[in-house]
Amino acid sequence: MSEAQRQQLARGIVPRVTDHLDRCLESVAQRWPARGADADTSEWANQLRSYQFVLRRQFEEALERDFLSATYPPAYDFSGSAYAGDDSGLQILDDYQSTRRSLRHQLEGLIREHNRYSYYVFVQAAREDDRFEHPGWAPWSPLNWYERLIESAEEQFGRTDMTLSLMRGYVQCLGKTAAPALAFVVETVEACGLVREPVSEAPDGDLSRAPARPSWGDTRADNGEPEAQTPADAASADPALLAGPDGAAAGGAVAGGGGRARMPAADAGPEAWQRWAATAGWLPGDGGVVPAESGAAPAGAPSLAAVIEGILAGVLAEVSQQLLCHAEFRGLMQSLPPLLARAVSRDLEFFHDPAHPLRQFAGSLVNTGVRISPGVKIEDSEAVKRYLLAMRAAIQRLANEADTIDRAGAEDLYASWEAARAAEDTNWWEGAQERAAPMMQQERAARARRSLTVCVLETGAELPERAAEQIADAWEDLLAVDEAAQQVLESEVQEVARAICNRATPQEVNPLVQRIVGTAREFGADDDRIKAVVQHLGQAHLQRIRATGNEPRFDPQARIQARRTLRLEDDDRDLLTDLDDRFVFDASRIRRGDWFECVDKASGESWRVGLVWRGEATRGFLFLSLDQGRCRRHSLQGVAQELREGRMRPLPVDNPLDALLG
């Protein structure tokens, strides 16, 4: 980190963290006497109030030293752990030291659990460019704040029960009230250029995995379904439900995904499938259930195809119960069970094999159809109309081939449907990108100005405001070229910006600019854009060289402040922008192509939207409905608020047949 970066971090972070410490100390002082008529705690409260200013001042000075010093690591006794003498074994800790270290571990656990987005930003900022071997040593880490406070407390109160009680109170306070301060610190750390990659992409811990998504089986499992069989129940159950074709216990799936009645083997008779379906709740009433002890079908018992149709109708009805479906799509779903039953009753591996093409076909139809908002008028949306036409064509083909279709035919049907769906997805995405164009422009501007801010901080230069604007405009123009070129051009513009900041000569700057020109042409940038970029950079260089002492200077703090207060048009009016909880973390991991059901706060109307674009510098999110008639523009905190309030919930992405049948 450059000296300017360190100063900017200290200027932004230290006052905010110190103010939060003041509130924590006051809270502890108030709580101690309230614990009862304990003379010790009342005296502790008096002592703490007497030394509160001293603790604050020492804490503030220590943090400033940590931010401004280039030494590594910070000089503190790491939570009571130290090496004993000349050997490599850790010294045996006494009770005080053990408690001190235990509280520090507790603090780390609290931050990781309740402020996960902050935690991972801090970890990434510490590890990027190998700044700190251990993230807890970084001056922006709450673990560092803990160490600095306990040092001051020990100096004033000694290694006493009072000190440990004070630290216990501070840890609790951080766990309960630190979210706004942590969110502020995160913004400053990111804006000062310490995290160059989006934190949600960091290959660290569970950030490298997609967030847990809901399953179609979640609601059914929570709606009072029958509990799993006990061993005794299983032992007395009908063998037809448990036995495979060779008489061994079937290892088949379980209804509803919850360990209920075992699915019959693929070669079991209609009676076994009928009893299983009724037990699993897929058939209404008793479904004409064959008594387990009879072993024979009663007169007029439904055929295997009829039983299978009932099972599939029950599964698809469960989808409609969980999510209100568009009327047109609901009609298509209702036409599926009899068609599938005709094909599936000849190939009951459908129920045992999640990779069965007919099972994948049905699941893909459902997951595509539920994206249609219930209130959409088909005549008003060409996109929805085309999706429905593709679904009808696929279902009509199934109707034509249901009585003869084999595994190869089913694979061809599924592949044909997927190709048709992919074609409609491509058309939809093209329209979505047009809707995202204004936000993409804002993102380019924000990235250009953030990168410039980082260059100024890294070089410690006092750049004239006019020169800074020219560099930012050039940067913004270059970010509009092909995405593959952006990373290369970003690096090359940084070199030019640093050279200008450092008052390089024209002879030093010109080759760098020509390299940008060559790269831009290589990636197909038009000549007008290249000419504009060269003019912007040339003007910036001249203004930097000719700047007078009284000319307005570029202010990095103003840029950081502008980014911190970002709020987009569809954010909740009651939104607090300084928050960090699990919902901020979940929002940070939403990916392009994720779909959600949203509810309007005022009207209660619901609709389905997919994330079509998100900005890394602006933290902007654009969600668009399948008919492209509804769009939502949110900030990261705005998305977190919608998740927090339950007005946005992700749509399941797993196959409903896999989730509900097992």
Side-chain angles (χ1 to χ4, degrees), residues 387-584:
Y387 273 102
L388 288 170
L389 284 172
M391 292 179 196
R392 289 193 189 97
I395 292 173
Q396 183 58 51
R397 177 176 170 181
L398 175 62
N400 296 338
E401 302 175 7
D403 295 322
T404 58
I405 196 168
D406 57 10
R407 184 83 175 217
E411 289 173 350
D412 188 60
L413 169 66
Y414 176 50
S416 175
W417 153 248
E418 283 294 290
R421 180 193 57 75
E424 297 310 319
D425 285 350
T426 299
N427 291 333
W428 183 79
W429 276 107
E430 288 175 355
Q433 292 310 296
E434 293 180 10
R435 301 291 293 272
M439 295 187 74
M440 293 169 70
Q441 174 63 33
Q442 294 171 8
E443 171 72 10
R444 288 194 293 270
R447 281 181 60 185
R449 281 149 182 80
R450 186 189 64 178
S451 298
L452 176 62
T453 299
V454 173
C455 279
V456 172
L457 289 174
E458 287 177 341
T459 59
E462 289 193 356
L463 195 65
E465 181 67 36
R466 290 188 304 158
E469 285 301 321
Q470 293 284 356
I471 296 173
D473 288 343
W475 219 316
E476 187 176 335
D477 281 341
L478 286 171
L479 289 174
V481 301
D482 186 87
E483 189 171 339
Q486 289 182 11
Q487 187 171 358
V488 179
L489 287 169
E490 180 92 7
S491 174
E492 293 178 356
V493 178
Q494 283 178 5
E495 286 192 58
V496 174
R498 290 192 185 95
I500 293 174
C501 287
N502 290 325
R503 293 183 179 274
T505 65
Q507 291 76 16
E508 293 170 320
V509 173
N510 286 339
L512 302 177
V513 174
Q514 289 307 310
R515 189 166 61 177
I516 291 175
V517 171
T519 302
R521 283 180 176 155
E522 179 184 343
F523 285 95
D526 60 83
D527 288 340
D528 288 342
R529 185 182 301 278
I530 294 173
K531 182 178 179 181
V533 167
V534 173
Q535 288 176 342
H536 285 310
L537 293 176
Q539 286 296 318
H541 193 203
L542 286 174
Q543 289 161 3
R544 170 61 168 153
I545 293 173
R546 298 172 180 174
T548 60
N550 58 356
E551 190 167 341
R553 302 293 176 175
F554 177 79
D555 182 4
Q557 181 61 31
R559 296 295 183 190
I560 294 171
Q561 191 67 34
R563 181 171 185 261
R564 183 179 296 123
T565 57
L566 177 74
R567 182 192 294 264
L568 295 186
E569 57 196 81
D570 293 314
D571 286 347
D572 191 337
R573 292 183 179 180
D574 300 326
L575 174 67
L576 299 175
T577 56
D578 272 0
L579 285 178
D580 177 26
D581 56 16
R582 71 177 183 86
F583 297 103
V584 178

Side-chain angles (χ1 to χ4, degrees), residues 624-644:
L624 188 65
S625 61
L626 200 66
D627 65 314
Q628 299 194 7
R630 284 271 197 176
C631 65
R632 300 283 291 181
R633 297 174 180 85
H634 285 294
S635 65
L636 173 67
Q637 290 285 353
V639 174
Q641 177 75 350
E642 297 302 303
L643 295 172
R644 190 180 295 116

Side-chain angles (χ1 to χ4, degrees), residues 67-312:
F67 275 107
L68 298 177
S69 172
T71 59
Y72 171 88
Y76 52 63
D77 182 13
F78 189 68
S79 296
S81 299
Y83 287 99
D86 296 328
D87 62 46
S88 60
L90 283 173
Q91 67 185 42
I92 298 175
L93 303 181
D94 57 27
D95 289 344
Y96 177 89
Q97 290 173 309
S98 296
T99 304
R100 172 182 174 174
R101 185 170 61 177
S102 176
L103 285 171
R104 191 178 193 278
H105 291 322
Q106 180 183 336
L107 172 59
E108 183 175 17
L110 286 171
I111 299 298
R112 184 165 189 160
E113 180 180 359
H114 298 298
N115 310 109
R116 300 179 74 192
Y117 185 70
S118 293
Y119 178 84
Y120 283 108
V121 170
F122 295 157
V123 168
Q124 188 170 339
R127 290 181 176 170
E128 201 161 299
D129 296 328
D130 299 318
R131 290 189 185 97
F132 295 95
E133 181 182 353
H134 299 289
W137 289 346
W140 52 75
S141 168
L143 302 180
N144 181 62
W145 310 342
Y146 174 95
E147 292 295 338
R148 290 316 187 193
L149 178 60
I150 198 170
E151 282 181 352
S152 297
E154 287 178 350
E155 182 178 336
Q156 305 305 324
F157 313 124
R159 294 193 166 195
T160 61
D161 288 343
M162 176 184 171
T163 296
L164 291 179
S165 184
L166 170 61
M167 297 311 300
R168 195 173 288 113
Y170 182 61
V171 168
Q172 292 171 354
C173 186
L174 280 172
K176 293 178 180 178
T177 67
L182 291 172
F184 182 95
V185 174
V186 164
E187 286 283 0
T188 305
V189 165
E190 289 185 325
C192 286
L194 303 188
V195 180
R196 295 189 179 276
E197 297 297 327
V199 67
S200 53
E201 301 289 351
D204 182 271
D206 55 4
L207 272 176
S208 61
R209 300 193 296 269
R213 300 303 302 271
S215 165
W216 286 108
D218 290 345
T219 302
R220 183 172 172 83
D222 294 338
N223 278 347
E225 292 297 314
E227 294 296 327
Q229 289 182 325
T230 64
D233 294 333
S236 61
D238 177 21
L241 273 74
L242 301 177
D246 57 357
V254 180
R260 301 170 185 90
R262 282 192 179 276
M263 185 184 292
D267 62 350
E271 303 84 5
W273 283 97
Q274 186 182 1
R275 284 195 296 274
W276 169 76
T279 303
W282 297 123
L283 297 180
D286 63 5
V289 177
V290 180
E293 64 275 5
S294 70
S303 65
L304 178 60
V307 173
I308 299 304
E309 180 180 341
I311 295 171
L312 295 173

Side-chain angles (χ1 to χ4, degrees), residues 7-23 56 59-60 63-64 67 181 184-185 188:
Q7 290 175 348
Q8 197 69 52
L9 288 166
R11 190 183 310 158
I13 293 174
V14 173
R16 186 67 175 261
V17 174
T18 306
D19 287 345
H20 181 260
L21 170 67
D22 250 353
R23 294 194 294 274
R56 174 193 167 102
F59 178 85
E60 187 173 30
L63 280 192
E64 285 182 349
F67 275 107
F184 182 95
V185 174
T188 305

